[in-house]
Amino acid sequence: MISLTVNGKEVQGRADKKLLDFLREELRLTATKNGCGTGACGACTVLADGKPVRSCVTPLSKVEGKQVLTVEGLSDREKEVYVFAFAESGAVQCGFCIPGMVLSAKALLDTNNNPNEEETRQAIRGNICRCTGYVKIIKAIEIAAKLLRENTPVPKQNFSGLLGEHIHRVDAAEKTLGTGIFTDDLEFPQMLHASVIRSAYPRARLVKIDPSAALSHTDCKAVLTAKDVPGNIKIGHLEFISDYDVMIAEGGITRFIGDAIALVVCGNKENLEEVKALVKIDYEVLEPMTSPAMALAEGAPLIHNKERNILSREHLVRGNADEVLAKSKHVVNRRYVLPFTEHAFMEPECAIAMPDGAPSEDGVDGLVLYSAGQGIYDEQRECSRMLGIPPQKLRVIGQLVGGAFGGKEDMSVQPHACLAAWILKKPVKVLFSRQESINVHPKRHAMEIEMTTGCDENGKLTAMKAVIVSDTGAYASLGGPVLQRACTHAAGPYNYQVINIEGKAVYTNNIPAGAFRGFGVPQSCFATESNLNLLAEMVGISPWEIRFRNAIRPGQVLPNGQLAGGDVELEACLLALKDIYENANAQGKHAGIACAFKNSGIGVGLPDVSRCIFSVENGKVHIRTSAACIGQGLATLLTQIACQTLGLPPENFFVEAPDTSRAPNSGTTTASRQSLFTGEATRQAALKLKDALDAAGGKLEKLAGQEFYGEYSGVTDPMGSDKQNPVSHVAYGYAATLAIIDGEGKVEKLVAAYDMGSVVNPKAAEGQIEGGLLMGMGYALTEDFPMEGGYPKAKYGTLGLIKAPAAPPMEIILTKPRDPLPVAFGIKGVGELATIPVAPAIAGAYYAKDGNHRTKLPMENTFYKRG
Ligand code: FES
Ligand code: FES
């Protein structure tokens, strides 16, 4: 045993124990987070004798006799300052990285109380934040430095909560101080730990599983296999496809290296890997199909029972594209190759399931699931179906979500936690290691796109054709809708109507691909916008000019036939960038520009409903929705909508965490829908409360115990509708983004003008966009997810995530809608849009610099990556 001091208290621990595990598990200091466990992300940063260390790779022996400090050990003054600074600057999103950031900041400020921006960037270079783009974190450190240096009190805050006001996020304090609860922070008495044995091969027949040696291990509580699944072994985010095996049965064929073969349950999590190694598994190895070409080949084996391994097809036709292109003055044709990429959200997946203590009247026991997905009702539906129990027997309680970006829409840990808890009647935690997370959850789709675009002599677009093939990997996930969005957005936000777009999503034995911020649109937008630059050159006008001439305006018709409403402000976005674009070029820099649009809501005729309940309890208005906040600040947004509607300040409201026993179904956090959909449902509930409050003379206490229900359903037309102007989606957000690179090819600045409708909280909106811009820059230049033979070659540290020193300055311009949508105060949302136009904007800047039209991401021969 060795001794050290933690937060001023002397403690003892085992020399070989990792400091992070010691802090979290033995001292229960859970503010320190485990993002990667391999020293690559900085979420576990603590201070040892004042210096930042990564506690996940530091054995206790290394800190013997040292003073270790976690966020819990900050002084009250420091806590107050950092909470204020991070809230004031809008630096907190999902919050998973923030305690580590705060400690890196403290280490800096303790030795340099007036750092410049570069010194701050260097101080947090080991701390990855996937949400913010670092801009507001750097600002937060500047604010904290000033308060500490000048020893001034933290300013008092007094918010009205009205739309347009930067109120501090309601979860800023708990995320800054690490007191907010992520699933892995929970502990329950007698809790067991479970971990999945994954397929050793991307494609193999599972001949036999022999768990006997594992079962004889003293700490092994169970080895569960497909035979133990009581209900439907197939699950899937889209119920009508449901092709995902919770576990592969003996005799079955695996489809990717993440397939579950067996679930090992132990009392002590440290024994899991040892026990897993004792399970003997015999495979007959089969050749995997690791590209769409292989899977589409004549006679290729079927991964699922789908003709030619095709999950879905799209064919969008308006007018006769061949004819119009043949008559067009200028035509370009290029083929683009887009890679798989990894969400790299900071919090690895974790779920805990346990028997529900409530007495059962019908003989069916219930379960409670603590989880952090993107929709508690999705988790309830899929897991209850797998257990063969009525959905209401599974209560799902959402915890803080440490980032998701679409990567937590599908089930991952939840079914296995439920299965083990169901069978063993004990609490069971399933926690992914970072590598398991990387190997299992769906990625951004790799796509190949051939695109032909035509215009007239003035640069007015005439028609386009595209063929899009996506690698959807081993399971459907959301591969069908992702392909559909890639196709529906492939013609861009422009005013022309002749299109012919064919798409195919193909099953392979690669890791599945699914939802990822932008949902297929970043891929097709890269092709669309890159072709536009070549057309501009042929016409002899600038890339800005060709976009301005074609940009969709109110009253015009989008390529999909939808009439653009008065809310559309793409023209204003472009005008906002005009001078900056021209000045950059005039100064000898290289500027690239791209536009994008993105739907708000699921659309295309599918049911899309959000719901909200207000209840008056203990003198406060509780806002109850099932909508998952995955970092975007939903609780704050709903609070501001309530404040605006009712004229009450924020302290009157309490936004409950998602809980199927308390909240109505508000739908999945997907398709940039929550701000608009749950925003409007919240407004509707608030309006009912307002009526009641008016009748009660404004006395909230008179309404104690009452509930008020609000709902919003987005009505749209199905794909292929024969209406002249079908409503494909209830709204679109629009964006124009400018990338400026210097002589070396380094991104010097990103400037983004966004039409996201009405802005609820300007700093929150900017923060979303800054994070999206940096993610888009990573997609353009540094991020990749190589797979060879169905095996991923990436680790967290090799994904190419951009760190603070390389993040460029960003300028955000938010347009004001002249004619806002009549729902949700005109909010359209920006979650996905922010990422989409960045890669083509950067490609345009490089083209301006060296004339090399890059057609592949991440781009080669740049400042960031050689060819
Ligand atoms: Fe330690 Fe990522 S958890 S560096
Ligand atoms: Fe930094 Fe989410 S706020 S990772």
Side-chain angles (χ1 to χ4, degrees), residues 240-241 243 295-296 300-313 476 505 507:
F240 61 94
I241 298 181
D243 62 359
L296 288 167
L302 297 183
I303 294 170
H304 297 274
N305 201 15
K306 285 274 197 177
E307 192 205 339
R308 304 284 305 271
N309 286 316
I310 295 173
L311 163 66
S312 69
R313 295 174 193 267
Y507 283 120

Coordinates of all heavy atoms in Angstrom, one line a residue, residues 240-241 243 295-296 300-313 476 505 507:
F240 N -39.4 -1.6 -38.4 CA -39.8 -2.4 -39.5 C -38.6 -3.1 -40.2 O -38.7 -4.0 -41.0 CB -40.5 -1.6 -40.6 CG -39.7 -0.4 -41.1 CD1 -39.0 -0.6 -42.3 CD2 -39.7 0.8 -40.5 CE1 -38.3 0.5 -42.8 CE2 -39.0 1.8 -41.0 CZ -38.3 1.7 -42.2
I241 N -37.4 -2.8 -39.8 CA -36.2 -3.5 -40.3 C -35.7 -4.4 -39.2 O -35.6 -5.6 -39.5 CB -35.1 -2.5 -40.8 CG1 -35.6 -1.7 -41.9 CG2 -33.9 -3.3 -41.3 CD1 -34.7 -0.7 -42.5
D243 N -32.9 -5.8 -37.8 CA -32.1 -6.9 -38.3 C -30.8 -7.1 -37.4 O -29.9 -7.9 -37.8 CB -31.6 -6.6 -39.8 CG -30.7 -5.3 -39.9 OD1 -30.5 -4.7 -38.8 OD2 -30.3 -5.0 -41.0
A295 N -19.8 -6.8 -52.0 CA -21.1 -7.3 -51.6 C -22.1 -7.3 -52.8 O -23.1 -8.1 -52.7 CB -21.6 -6.4 -50.5
L296 N -21.9 -6.5 -53.8 CA -22.8 -6.4 -54.9 C -22.5 -7.4 -56.0 O -23.3 -7.6 -56.9 CB -22.8 -5.0 -55.5 CG -23.5 -3.8 -54.7 CD1 -23.1 -2.5 -55.3 CD2 -25.0 -4.0 -54.7
A300 N -22.4 -13.1 -54.7 CA -21.9 -12.8 -53.3 C -22.9 -13.4 -52.3 O -24.1 -13.2 -52.5 CB -21.7 -11.3 -53.1
P301 N -22.4 -13.9 -51.2 CA -23.3 -14.4 -50.2 C -24.2 -13.3 -49.6 O -23.7 -12.1 -49.6 CB -22.4 -15.0 -49.1 CG -21.0 -14.9 -49.6 CD -21.0 -14.1 -50.9
L302 N -25.3 -13.6 -49.1 CA -26.2 -12.5 -48.6 C -25.9 -12.4 -47.1 O -26.0 -13.3 -46.3 CB -27.7 -12.9 -48.8 CG -28.1 -13.0 -50.3 CD1 -29.6 -13.2 -50.4 CD2 -27.7 -11.7 -51.1
I303 N -25.7 -11.1 -46.7 CA -25.4 -10.8 -45.3 C -26.8 -10.9 -44.5 O -26.8 -11.4 -43.4 CB -24.7 -9.5 -45.1 CG1 -23.3 -9.6 -45.8 CG2 -24.6 -9.0 -43.7 CD1 -22.6 -8.3 -46.0
H304 N -27.8 -10.3 -45.1 CA -29.1 -10.5 -44.6 C -29.9 -11.0 -45.8 O -29.4 -11.2 -46.9 CB -29.7 -9.2 -44.1 CG -29.0 -8.6 -42.9 ND1 -29.3 -8.9 -41.6 CD2 -28.0 -7.7 -42.9 CE1 -28.5 -8.3 -40.8 NE2 -27.6 -7.5 -41.6
N305 N -31.2 -11.3 -45.6 CA -31.9 -11.9 -46.7 C -32.4 -10.8 -47.7 O -33.6 -10.6 -47.9 CB -33.1 -12.7 -46.2 CG -33.5 -13.7 -47.2 OD1 -32.8 -14.0 -48.2 ND2 -34.7 -14.3 -47.0
K306 N -31.5 -10.0 -48.2 CA -31.8 -8.9 -49.1 C -31.1 -9.1 -50.4 O -29.9 -9.3 -50.5 CB -31.3 -7.6 -48.4 CG -32.1 -7.1 -47.3 CD -33.3 -6.3 -47.7 CE -33.9 -5.5 -46.6 NZ -35.0 -4.7 -47.1
E307 N -31.9 -8.9 -51.5 CA -31.4 -9.1 -52.8 C -30.1 -8.3 -53.1 O -30.1 -7.1 -52.8 CB -32.5 -8.6 -53.8 CG -32.2 -9.0 -55.2 CD -32.9 -8.1 -56.2 OE1 -33.9 -7.4 -55.8 OE2 -32.4 -8.0 -57.3
R308 N -29.1 -8.9 -53.5 CA -27.8 -8.3 -53.8 C -27.2 -7.5 -52.7 O -26.4 -6.6 -52.8 CB -27.9 -7.3 -55.0 CG -28.5 -7.9 -56.3 CD -27.5 -8.8 -57.1 NE -26.2 -8.2 -57.4 CZ -26.0 -7.5 -58.5 NH1 -27.0 -7.3 -59.4 NH2 -24.8 -7.0 -58.8
N309 N -27.6 -7.8 -51.5 CA -27.1 -7.1 -50.3 C -27.4 -5.7 -50.2 O -26.7 -4.8 -49.6 CB -25.6 -7.3 -50.1 CG -25.2 -8.7 -49.7 OD1 -25.8 -9.3 -48.8 ND2 -24.2 -9.3 -50.3
I310 N -28.5 -5.3 -50.9 CA -28.9 -3.9 -50.9 C -30.0 -3.6 -49.8 O -31.0 -4.2 -49.8 CB -29.5 -3.5 -52.3 CG1 -28.3 -3.6 -53.4 CG2 -30.0 -2.1 -52.3 CD1 -28.8 -3.5 -54.8
L311 N -29.6 -2.8 -48.9 CA -30.5 -2.4 -47.8 C -31.6 -1.5 -48.4 O -32.8 -1.8 -48.1 CB -29.7 -1.7 -46.7 CG -30.6 -0.9 -45.7 CD1 -31.4 -1.8 -44.9 CD2 -29.7 0.0 -44.9
S312 N -31.3 -0.5 -49.1 CA -32.3 0.4 -49.6 C -31.8 1.1 -50.9 O -30.6 1.2 -51.2 CB -32.6 1.4 -48.6 OG -31.6 2.3 -48.4
R313 N -32.8 1.5 -51.7 CA -32.5 2.3 -52.9 C -33.3 3.6 -52.9 O -34.4 3.6 -52.3 CB -33.0 1.5 -54.1 CG -32.3 0.2 -54.4 CD -33.1 -0.5 -55.6 NE -32.7 -1.9 -55.7 CZ -31.7 -2.3 -56.5 NH1 -31.1 -1.4 -57.3 NH2 -31.4 -3.5 -56.6
A476 N -28.7 -2.6 -40.6 CA -29.4 -1.4 -41.2 C -29.2 -0.1 -40.5 O -29.0 0.9 -41.1 CB -30.9 -1.8 -41.3
A505 N -27.8 1.8 -50.7 CA -27.1 1.5 -49.4 C -26.8 0.0 -49.4 O -27.8 -0.8 -49.5 CB -27.9 2.0 -48.2
Y507 N -25.2 -3.5 -47.7 CA -24.7 -4.2 -46.6 C -23.3 -4.7 -46.9 O -23.0 -5.2 -48.0 CB -25.5 -5.4 -46.3 CG -26.8 -5.1 -45.6 CD1 -28.0 -5.5 -46.2 CD2 -26.9 -4.6 -44.3 CE1 -29.2 -5.3 -45.5 CE2 -28.1 -4.4 -43.6 CZ -29.3 -4.8 -44.3 OH -30.5 -4.6 -43.6

